[in-house]
Amino acid sequence: MNSVVVPNLPAVSLDAEKLALLARGLEGLTAAQLYWVAAWAAAQAAQAQRSGPTAVAVATRTSERLTIVYGSQTGNAKRIAEELARRSEAAGLPVRLLRADAYPQRELAQERHLVAVISTQGDGEPPDDARGLFEFIAGKRAPKLPALQFAVLGLGDSSYPQFCVIGRQLDARLAELGGTRFAALGEADVEIEAVAAPWTEQALEQARELLKQAGVPARVTPLHVVPSRSTHSREQPFAATVLANQRIVARDSERDVRHIELSLEGSGLRYEPGDALGVWPRNPPALVDQWLDALRFDGAQEVTHQGRTLTLRQWLEREREITRLNRPFLAALAATSGDGELMRVLQKEQSAEFTALLAADQPIDLLRRHPAIWQPEALVAALRPLAPRLYSIASSPKVVGEEVHLTVAVVEYEAHGSAHWGAASGLLAATDEDGKLPVFIEPNERFRLPADGERDVIMIGPGTGVAPFRAFVQERRESGATGRNWLFFGNRHFSSDFLYQVEWQQALKDGSLHRLDLAFSRDAAHKTYIQRRLREQGAELHAWLKGGAHIYVCGDSTHMARDVHAALIEVIATHGSRSPDEAKAWLAELLQQGRYARDVY
Amino acid sequence: MTTELSHLEQIKAASRFLRGGIAEGLADSVTGAIADDDTKLLKFHGSYQQDDRDLREERRRQKLEPAYAFMLRARLPSGVVTPAQWLVFDRIARDYASGSLRITTRQTFQWHGIIKRKLKPTIAAIHDALATTIASCGDVVRNVVSTANPIESSAHAEAYAWATRLSAELEPKTRAYHEIWLDGEQLVGEEAVVEEQEPLYGATYLPRKFKIGLAIPPLNDIDVFTQDLGLITIVEQGVLQGFNIAIGGGMGASHGDATTYPRLASVVGFVTPEQLFGVAEAVIGVQRDWGDRVERKHARLKYTLDHRGLDAFKAELESRLGYALAPARDYRFEHNGDRYGWVEGHDGHWHLTLHIESGRLADVGERRWLSGLRELAQVHAGDFRLTCNQNVIVANVAANERGRIDAIVREYGLDVYAKQSGIRRHAIACVALPTCGLAMAESERYLPTLLPKLEALLARHGLADAPILLRLSGCPNGCSRPYLGEIALVGRGPGRYDLRLGADFIGQRLNQVHRENVDETAILDTLAPLFARYAGERGEGEGFGDFLLRTGILTPVPSRRIPVEVVA
């Protein structure tokens, strides 16, 4: 299990055998060589810290502190957990902050004060870093927790039917195991802060009370916080200049995919392969026109919401989410229009009708279908604040310097007789060279190349899911990694949709990519997806995994990631002579170890 | 001076009888291309790797490789196609290729736009239709062509049969084609490959392509003097006597390189039908041994003849044959191009020649010629003949079937030839852009723009019906036999051509460069006054090229080899 990082290292004890081994290895080295070894060991230690769990701890006994655990896929849960930890600390509470996969499961039975911040992935799954802990708690081996005081904040997206289901299950299960809630389950929708801020406030208040009762003296412990080198953040994005905006699918492709290069020069922003770039979108003016048209509103009229006054056009274009449907908006629309049909669909939480509605329509379609007399203020209030979009970064800073590259599928299609757009992709596609975009870096610690360059790497990234693997291959070439790189890529058509084809060909030639397996689904009568290639290459794939390879999956979460996961289980079972359950367990173990990482959306 | 064999010779030598790495290249899913060296070998199998040049730059920016696709050419001796074959070829055009069939200037079909993974099923389908693509390109004897209507007498039919047999006999013998394309049994191990024999060609085949054509006077529709080996059929009193042998013809040249030039074949003697195979093999054998394998630009037979001397070549030929060639017999050509409409054969069957502009059969807008020919193939009981002027003959139609054929021809507008101008009926254009890798200027795509402008000029002088041989070529290599056009445009760069004038109407005199590297305006401005004079001063039946020389507008160039340079 991962060790906890503490400010003052305890005395390290090596067993005799290790020590003897070490001494033998150091025998006969010159002073300079010994210093080198010391430096090398220090670097190893630093590396272990960096790639290890994000962990903050104080040397306090379990019962006397607040433990905050988070499970995060895109970084939101992590951000909120960190914020809560900071504020707890500021309030003088002893606190430890742990990513779920760094939580020592055997300590659960002794845990007294626990906060869990956990997201729910698209199809009702826990985030990858929380799978192990979640399964442990949900499973038969979970200890009884009669002494536990806990609080759960669930994060989710009400556009999906399984809204916050993981948070709910965790909350229910902890109670079932005998725990007592010190704060009611929080369910934060995409507009996270609206729920998270008051919830955090309340949870903090309760925790303070509890720990006071437990007789814990308030004291301030410094957190291990990596100082940010940039003044730019999600809240204060950097205006990055577009250096290139190039379509990278052929003219006859059914979709538009862009390769976008942005300059981070002067921003102080740093990233690593695997990280995402957050882009604050602006809604397409043509879509805002459609809204104003459908609602018969004047875009110039001023609307005040929560103390801010902007024109309605400004609200719709820059401040509100108008390309994605969600339950609160649907509820407001149902109430405003008084449409019985809509109300009926909304009543059942997880109805197929509701899911179909979310999948098929954008808000504009429903505005048109259910005409209603809106008040501009009510409309603005019913809409969520515009949220940034995250794009997996497609470049390695070792190669591109102070640039960041993205691979963006442009959402633009015809439906119900009119044009539809996405918020950010349309903006990205429409921003020409020298234009500027508000961006920030969203680190993804769970999606990192192995520190050991000798490890083999398997990358599965169909469609724009290939983006981070362009960064990986660049990074591995530049850092002189000696492990092999194997990419699985798929898309619709070979001739038009083979993203970065020429670069992959070059990488195969220069030896920075060792294998490339492809599946183009629309080129043959029977659709072939990447999972099939995984099965075809099963023996080899399993051999790589057995040899310690890391495996990465990036792309669509609804179908691809699930199908790939199933294919991997099958490959491991077939070629590793394991039962499906054993294969599943082994894969879960890889996930736990960070050798199987997913960046799916 | 370098004596190192050209790169292509090294590729051939290492190819294990044309195998190379083609099979591995086909299996490489990361690219739509095959390895560069293998593209050279692929030609021997009947295919050129090409890419859509219109898209090249756009795709480079899109980080995509060029839009690679393959041209595939059938080997159809004498251009004969059965209706059943036609239907297969038509299906291939629609299922595997770019939706069109193209009749080449060498009497066969080619398909464009076949992507790599469709290449093998396409070749298999052609094979199943009892045809092949082997040696339709490459340094071998290509498809043997012959006068397209050789059924006017039994002697004609006999001559045609010789041409067809010759084509079959001279096919390469390597098993590579079967192995790669038809899942034929592989010869195992190096030894098996070593044991494989190419008795005529040897392991490195010929220094360059080798074209054979058979003409039956008075028709010179195949341009017999452009062939490496031309056979001029001698029929006396209705009986096939044999063939005059003409050697060393060829069209290709390079801009700005006077050591390359078009050359008309030299008539060196007469052979009987029984001697034909021996003589053909001996000519090929001398070229195989004497031809230039260092400099490909000088590798055609025409250069071997000029470098070694015609007499020396003939002496070597006769020494290998063990006898002297008989003196050439008299012959007379009267006509180039095709004779459109119905013609009755000696046996009472009828033949209908249709004009297919640039040989392109496709359904484009109103013009649904691909469908029209498909419908003809569905009802036709005879066969089809492709011509060297890119046209098609619906051959061997019983008299009482003519009405049915005519109805389909009318329905699909395939009877346009009847109303066409003389120049349109005698126009040939090569494929050029966007698929041909050699093209410097447009050709096939330019013809429909150019023709109406020329027709307007001609019509102004009452020359609408004057038969004038017009040849368009995107480059100087000469697939459309531009050096025998009475008017020819040879591409120099986008929108720019050498205007060549002065060939005769029967394929016996080369033209000459009249204006170098000019655009359309200059071409039309140059031709307008010439058409005016031709209209006013031409003699009875006098062709445009002959007229230009007789009146001194052009100065005659005596030599058979006419360097590509400005003469006017």
Side-chain angles (χ1 to χ4, degrees), chain B residues 144-351:
Chain B
V144 174
V145 299
S146 64
T147 291
N149 196 2
I151 29 203
E152 293 196 335
S153 75
S154 55
H156 284 69
E158 220 181 314
Y160 152 76
W162 280 106
T164 304
R165 272 187 60 192
L166 200 54
S167 195
E169 288 286 328
L170 298 174
E171 270 184 21
K173 306 290 184 251
T174 175
R175 295 270 315 154
Y177 186 84
H178 271 74
E179 277 177 25
I180 296 172
W181 308 109
L182 305 171
D183 293 325
E185 197 183 323
Q186 295 205 0
L187 296 179
V188 181
E190 288 296 314
E191 280 173 29
V193 175
V194 172
E195 276 171 25
E196 193 168 42
Q197 292 290 317
E198 285 284 12
L200 175 60
Y201 294 118
T204 52
Y205 296 82
L206 299 182
R208 199 71 170 81
K209 64 183 162 191
F210 195 97
K211 297 179 175 179
I212 300 180
L214 177 149
I216 306 177
L219 296 181
N220 190 18
D221 58 336
I222 67 148
D223 271 328
V224 73
F225 298 106
T226 67
Q227 315 290 328
D228 290 275
L229 174 58
L231 309 173
I232 301 165
T233 309
I234 305 298
V235 178
E236 290 169 2
Q237 281 89 46
V239 178
L240 176 68
Q241 303 294 313
F243 310 92
N244 279 349
I245 297 293
I247 57 175
M251 291 280 95
S254 302
H255 285 308
D257 181 352
T259 67
T260 68
Y261 44 81
R263 182 189 190 282
L264 294 183
S266 311
V267 178
V268 293
F270 170 84
V271 300
T272 63
E274 293 70 32
Q275 292 172 324
L276 178 62
F277 280 24
V279 169
E281 287 192 2
V283 172
I284 294 164
V286 179
Q287 162 64 0
R288 175 195 63 213
D289 301 338
W290 283 17
D292 189 339
R293 290 181 188 261
V294 174
E295 178 52 74
R296 271 185 77 74
K297 274 208 286 195
H298 300 151
R300 284 287 289 275
L301 175 61
K302 60 184 174 180
Y303 302 112
T304 311
L305 291 185
D306 289 345
H307 294 161
R308 297 284 194 126
L310 183 60
D311 292 343
F313 189 97
K314 193 178 170 192
E316 173 69 15
L317 182 65
E318 291 179 336
S319 129
R320 292 192 184 194
L321 286 169
Y323 61 87
L325 293 176
R329 306 268 182 103
D330 287 345
Y331 64 92
R332 182 179 156 75
F333 286 119
E334 291 173 0
H335 195 276
N336 199 306
D338 292 334
R339 302 162 302 172
Y340 298 101
W342 286 104
V343 176
E344 186 176 10
H346 69 100
D347 56 358
H349 279 91
W350 289 79
H351 316 295

Side-chain angles (χ1 to χ4, degrees), chain B residues 385-408:
Chain B
R385 308 287 166 114
L386 308 180
T387 84
C388 286
N389 296 305
Q390 305 172 311
N391 297 313
V392 62
I393 302 171
V394 186
N396 287 310
V397 179
N400 62 1
E401 288 289 317
R402 283 181 55 184
R404 196 145 82 129
I405 300 293
D406 275 335
I408 295 171

Side-chain angles (χ1 to χ4, degrees), chain B residues 542-565:
Chain B
E542 186 177 31
F544 182 58
D546 288 344
F547 165 80
L548 293 174
L549 283 156
R550 178 179 61 78
T551 52
I553 295 170
L554 298 179
T555 313
V557 180
S559 167
R560 278 186 171 277
R561 32 175 291 198
I562 302 169
V564 184
E565 60 197 23

Side-chain angles (χ1 to χ4, degrees), chain A residues 29-44:
Chain A
L29 292 187
T30 65
Q33 285 168 328
L34 284 168
Y35 277 122
W36 183 89
V37 170
W40 177 79
Q44 290 294 108

